[in-house]
Amino acid sequence: MKVLWVSSRRVIFMLVLAMAWLAPAVTAQILQTDYSNPDFTVSDKAWSSNICGGQTFLENRTPYFEWGPVFGSEFDSQLVGLSGTIAANPTYSGKDLPFTHPFGTDWEFFIVPDQNYASLLAPSNGCTSFTASGACVNNISYGNTANAACTAAGTPNDCCTGAGAGSCNVDQEYRDAVVAAHRGQLPLPTSPLGVQGVLGIETDQGLIPQGYRDRAVQGDRVVMFGRWITDCGHPDFHSEVHPPLLTAFGRVTGSKEQPVTSTEVISRPYLVGQTFEDGKGIRHHLYDEMLKGVAVPDCFPIDDLVSEALDEDGGCKVTVTECVPFTDECVDVDTYCLAPPLWFVAPCTTRFEAHPNFEPKPFKGMQTMSYIVNPPVPRQCAARKLLVSSHFTVRHGVSASIEPYNTDAARVTITMDDSQYTAPPLPPKADLSLSLDDIRFLNSGVADTIHTIRTALLIISPVDLGPLFTIFLARGLLSDCYDPSYGTVGSVDGDGNQGTDSFPDCAALTPLAASSPADSQNVVVTTPIDQLSGVPISAEDNSNSQVFPVYGSTKLEWSQEKYPPTITIVQPTAKQYLHSDMITLNYSAADTGCGVGSVTATMDGAATLPDGHSLANGQTINLLTEMTLGDHTFTVTAADNVGGTNSASVTFTIIVTAASIQTDVTQFLQSGDIKSPGEANSLLSKLVAAAAKRAAGKCSTAANIYQLFIQELQAQSGKGVSVTAAAIMIADAQYLITHCP
């Protein structure tokens, strides 16, 4: 049973709450599963409590296990699967029983499940509503004593009064996680009972390599398969996946220009039982083990005596007959229990021990688990390929495959077959000797249980073994350690002060690591997903040092070919235009595979004409009034949807002829820039005369006449002719003077 470091946990979660306001509102579902869970109808609001018999572990005769499996036995044969988002950065509990956690105290976090997995939430896994300030309210009452206990203890807790009274049914760390997700705008799923909540995930930290733990953070997507349980160690009976068999983490890496969906998967290598070497649960095992510290016949636990001490059967059974060793006397159990002088007077042990059972294989039957990896961004280019890079290392009996899912995703399928699986041996271990102070630091409930056992056994002992029994107990309880994380955990002195180096033998152990010489084999590197058929993606390593059924990684990204649009410019064309001409812009961009994201045009590098007119396709341009004489470059640039660009340009020239300048006068008369027909006729008469001389090759005479034309415009500028029109025609006349013939 786990007891939290409440003060540090509260600080962590308060920081999470403060940071949650800055978290993104929605995490992209780059990783998910469509796994179908076994049927389980949630019709009773007390369903999770019922799994534990409505009683908390160690404090009652039942339940037998600290975490009660919803399906089957303590060794999972029916897995549940789910996908979701990590609600807050993972933490370490620091206070789990070493007897049932030989690979270190729990590494744990909370998942906000996707809505289709909300049925995994127990009534106490969240809130039925939130107050205006975001506080948790849970109005589901299912007969537990959380409210009564909170009130009786007199502990200041606003959940026990007012609008939030019902939320006493929710453990503090669950409330903090749910509120953090709510305030961080992570969409909480709603269970069939109306609970918006999170699912707890716990596993011995040493069963997940350090690198995997270090990379998992708030906002990561997670797919998980494992044992669905109710926590019988807490009176709210929340549900968890404890422990997971297979966990995949997903996050976006790479750069803004080339984002990548990166996923990694790890499976647990061992499954630690909640039973011990005598095949019994912790409560019974401790009674059996400590019973050896008093004088008992045959040096093995006496079931009826244990039952009496546990108060499970109402005392000794008179119908059972036992014979006292080395005597001819046989008595029924009732007489036997009341006749301690018949017992031996020597203890059967001088050391109390708790060694957990291990399941040789961490799974049962044939388990097929799959998850879907989506690219970091949706498809933006029809011609680009979805690229996969991956590698998996497996033990015999495990297979991994990748195949296309729909059109734009990948499905990873991992199959484990226990009939073929070769289980690795347990790694080296160290003896872990726990004093009663250590045990109390880690779990006060277990320490209280040991005291209760001690008291009960000394009462029924036939001789006064109190001092001797106390010496045995002072030697500590011997258990197993497989992970260096226990090197400095616990370590308390008689005053309850935590030390720094109580279990150095544990600290000297080598942690499990996901690494193998086979990692370099069968690596799939940036392969189009539709070309993966028949490509091996895993390497097998059955050596003793490679203990994980499967571990590996997958990356998904889009190929980076450029498919810029093709550009066609119909108008303008590369030729000479008269200044008096009108042109209509005509251009287009065509998709070559990645779409047409944008099309822009410039004239001489500017996005608009000097008078502010746009250069949109179909725009008509009056060259006389909107453009100057000389060379001009018209450019069209088009971009696709993934950053590919293309451009095309046309250079054309605007000129003046003796005839076109006459058209200038006509246009300006029509536009009102020449005030009267008389003024127009006066100007035209000079232009006609100059044209005749120019045509005859008399450029000097023509120039003199054009000068008269210019002088008249200068005299009429702002009077009979607008300033703008006068300037344009003067420039055109000067062009003709310069360009003759």
Side-chain angles (χ1 to χ4, degrees):
M1 180 174 63
K2 177 180 61 182
V3 175
L4 299 173
W5 276 332
V6 175
S7 59
S8 61
R9 282 295 180 85
R10 290 301 298 270
V11 170
I12 291 171
F13 275 103
M14 290 306 102
L15 289 173
V16 169
L17 293 180
M19 294 173 61
W21 296 101
L22 303 176
V26 178
T27 302
Q29 293 194 350
I30 55 173
L31 180 65
Q32 59 192 129
T33 185
D34 54 2
Y35 185 83
S36 295
N37 285 321
D39 290 336
F40 184 82
T41 302
V42 178
S43 57
D44 183 354
K45 62 185 179 181
W47 71 264
S48 63
S49 173
N50 292 339
I51 289 173
C52 298
Q55 300 187 104
T56 51
F57 180 71
L58 283 181
E59 297 177 8
N60 302 279
R61 288 179 292 178
T62 57
Y64 191 72
F65 296 136
E66 179 181 357
W67 40 89
V70 179
F71 300 115
S73 68
E74 66 164 331
F75 297 118
D76 43 350
S77 56
Q78 294 189 75
L79 303 178
V80 298
L82 73 150
S83 52
T85 304
I86 298 182
N89 288 338
T91 58
Y92 297 93
S93 69
K95 289 202 170 186
D96 293 296
L97 278 178
F99 323 143
T100 52
H101 294 76
F103 283 90
T105 57
D106 277 330
W107 181 64
E108 55 191 26
F109 56 91
F110 297 97
I111 291 179
V112 178
D114 296 338
Q115 179 58 46
N116 50 328
Y117 296 107
S119 60
L120 298 175
L121 301 176
S124 57
N125 278 55
C127 314
T128 53
S129 63
F130 298 91
T131 66
S133 64
C136 175
V137 176
N138 186 317
N139 293 318
I140 298 179
S141 177
Y142 46 88
N144 69 23
T145 59
N147 281 321
C150 180
T151 303
T155 304
N157 191 327
D158 58 8
C159 83
C160 295
T161 59
S167 64
C168 280
N169 293 330
V170 183
D171 189 85
Q172 180 70 53
E173 63 175 350
Y174 271 78
R175 260 183 291 143
D176 288 338
V178 173
V179 169
H182 173 69
R183 293 181 176 176
Q185 300 180 26
L186 277 174
L188 290 163
T190 302
S191 77
L193 295 177
V195 172
Q196 301 174 62
V198 298
L199 194 69
I201 309 300
E202 296 186 5
T203 191
D204 291 18
Q205 58 182 284
L207 298 180
I208 304 290
Q210 183 71 50
Y212 283 74
R213 283 180 273 141
D214 289 344
R215 289 187 291 272
V217 295
Q218 179 186 27
D220 278 4
R221 289 288 296 174
V222 176
V223 168
M224 182 168 291
F225 305 89
R227 182 174 60 197
W228 185 30
I229 62 99
T230 291
D231 189 340
C232 301
H234 292 73
D236 66 330
F237 305 114
H238 54 255
S239 61
E240 302 174 354
V241 172
H242 187 169
L245 171 61
L246 190 78
T247 306
F249 301 94
R251 58 192 68 94
V252 176
T253 60
S255 63
K256 181 179 179 181
E257 295 74 21
Q258 178 60 5
V260 179
T261 294
S262 296
T263 69
E264 52 189 348
V265 68
I266 189 75
S267 59
R268 69 167 181 252
Y270 307 107
L271 183 57
V272 182
Q274 296 186 74
T275 55
F276 293 79
E277 63 264 52
D278 57 4
K280 297 183 177 180
I282 183 64
R283 190 165 182 260
H284 283 251
H285 173 75
L286 289 176
Y287 271 100
D288 280 355
E289 190 67 20
M290 296 181 71
L291 188 62
K292 298 177 185 177
V294 298
V296 294
D298 282 352
C299 290
F300 65 87
I302 301 174
D303 291 340
D304 296 298
L305 189 61
V306 173
S307 295
E308 181 185 27
L310 293 174
D311 191 28
E312 292 187 351
D313 297 314
C316 295
K317 296 179 180 179
V318 296
T319 57
V320 177
T321 301
E322 291 281 353
C323 295
V324 180
F326 305 111
T327 73
D328 295 325
E329 297 184 47
C330 293
V331 296
D332 62 38
V333 172
D334 186 55
T335 303
Y336 180 82
C337 290
L338 297 178
L342 299 176
W343 299 2
F344 286 157
V345 294
C348 302
T349 187
T350 60
R351 190 67 190 263
F352 303 133
E353 302 182 37
H355 304 290
N357 283 324
F358 284 84
E359 180 71 5
K361 300 177 182 180
F363 60 93
K364 286 185 179 295
M366 174 78 77
Q367 299 294 346
T368 299
M369 301 157 282
S370 70
Y371 53 91
I372 300 160
V373 184
N374 292 291
V377 294
R379 178 180 288 277
Q380 296 174 304
C381 176
R384 281 190 170 177
K385 299 178 179 63
L386 191 60
L387 303 179
V388 177
S389 57
S390 67
H391 175 70
F392 297 92
T393 296
V394 300
R395 292 189 67 84
H396 186 69
V398 180
S399 64
S401 65
I402 300 178
E403 59 185 356
Y405 175 74
N406 293 335
T407 56
D408 288 349
R411 181 187 288 278
V412 178
T413 301
I414 294 173
T415 301
M416 300 182 180
D417 182 356
D418 73 347
S419 68
Q420 301 294 321
Y421 183 68
T422 55
L426 284 170
K429 70 175 180 178
D431 287 337
L432 182 61
S433 184
L434 298 155
S435 70
L436 196 57
D437 287 331
D438 289 330
I439 294 172
R440 182 167 298 282
F441 171 79
L442 293 168
N443 192 298
S444 59
V446 174
D448 291 341
T449 297
I450 291 175
H451 272 297
T452 301
I453 297 171
R454 176 182 182 276
T455 301
L457 294 182
L458 290 182
I459 289 175
I460 62 175
S461 176
V463 295
D464 183 11
L465 291 179
L468 186 58
F469 188 95
T470 301
I471 291 174
F472 298 161
L473 190 59
R475 295 188 64 188
L477 192 147
L478 186 66
S479 190
D480 302 323
C481 169
Y482 290 92
D483 189 81
S485 61
Y486 274 129
T488 57
V489 77
S491 178
V492 292
D493 58 25
D495 298 324
N497 300 313
Q498 186 177 7
T500 58
D501 190 27
S502 63
F503 309 127
D505 291 340
C506 290
L509 294 172
T510 300
L512 299 180
S515 62
S516 164
D519 289 345
S520 61
Q521 302 172 26
N522 301 326
V523 178
V524 176
V525 179
T526 55
T527 301
I529 192 169
D530 57 1
Q531 297 178 19
L532 275 181
S533 177
V535 177
I537 63 171
S538 62
E540 189 171 292
D541 182 358
N542 296 298
S543 63
N544 292 345
S545 60
Q546 200 299 95
V547 299
F548 295 95
V550 60
Y551 69 88
S553 62
T554 301
K555 293 185 178 181
L556 211 62
E557 60 190 299
W558 294 110
S559 61
Q560 291 300 293
E561 303 95 335
K562 301 296 184 182
Y563 295 92
T566 58
I567 298 170
T568 301
I569 301 176
V570 178
Q571 184 78 288
T573 59
K575 71 173 189 177
Q576 290 182 333
Y577 287 93
L578 298 176
H579 204 187
S580 57
D581 284 344
M582 305 275 289
I583 64 171
T584 299
L585 297 179
N586 185 348
Y587 57 90
S588 62
D591 179 19
T592 61
C594 287
V596 179
S598 64
V599 181
T600 58
T602 62
M603 186 71 77
D604 299 328
T608 61
L609 294 174
D611 63 357
H613 283 187
S614 77
L615 297 172
N617 185 46
Q619 174 73 43
T620 297
I621 300 175
N622 186 337
L623 299 183
L624 181 63
T625 58
E626 297 185 81
M627 299 192 69
T628 59
L629 299 172
D631 293 337
H632 298 276
T633 300
F634 178 71
T635 301
V636 176
T637 301
D640 59 21
N641 291 317
V642 291
T645 60
N646 194 9
S647 63
S649 298
V650 171
T651 298
F652 60 95
T653 305
I654 299 176
I655 64 170
V656 181
T657 65
S660 73
I661 196 171
Q662 297 174 42
T663 305
D664 293 356
V665 175
T666 302
Q667 284 191 30
F668 285 131
L669 177 62
Q670 292 173 346
S671 66
D673 287 283
I674 296 177
K675 306 302 182 183
S676 67
E679 179 59 37
N681 289 334
S682 175
L683 294 170
L684 283 172
S685 65
K686 295 179 177 62
L687 293 176
V688 170
K693 298 299 183 182
R694 180 183 178 90
K698 298 179 179 180
C699 292
S700 178
T701 305
N704 291 334
I705 299 173
Y706 282 130
Q707 285 293 348
L708 295 175
F709 175 78
I710 292 172
Q711 290 170 7
E712 182 174 347
L713 287 171
Q714 291 171 337
Q716 291 297 321
S717 179
K719 300 174 185 177
V721 181
S722 70
V723 174
T724 300
I728 291 172
M729 290 186 287
I730 289 171
D732 283 5
Q734 290 173 334
Y735 178 91
L736 291 171
I737 293 172
T738 304
H739 296 80
C740 184

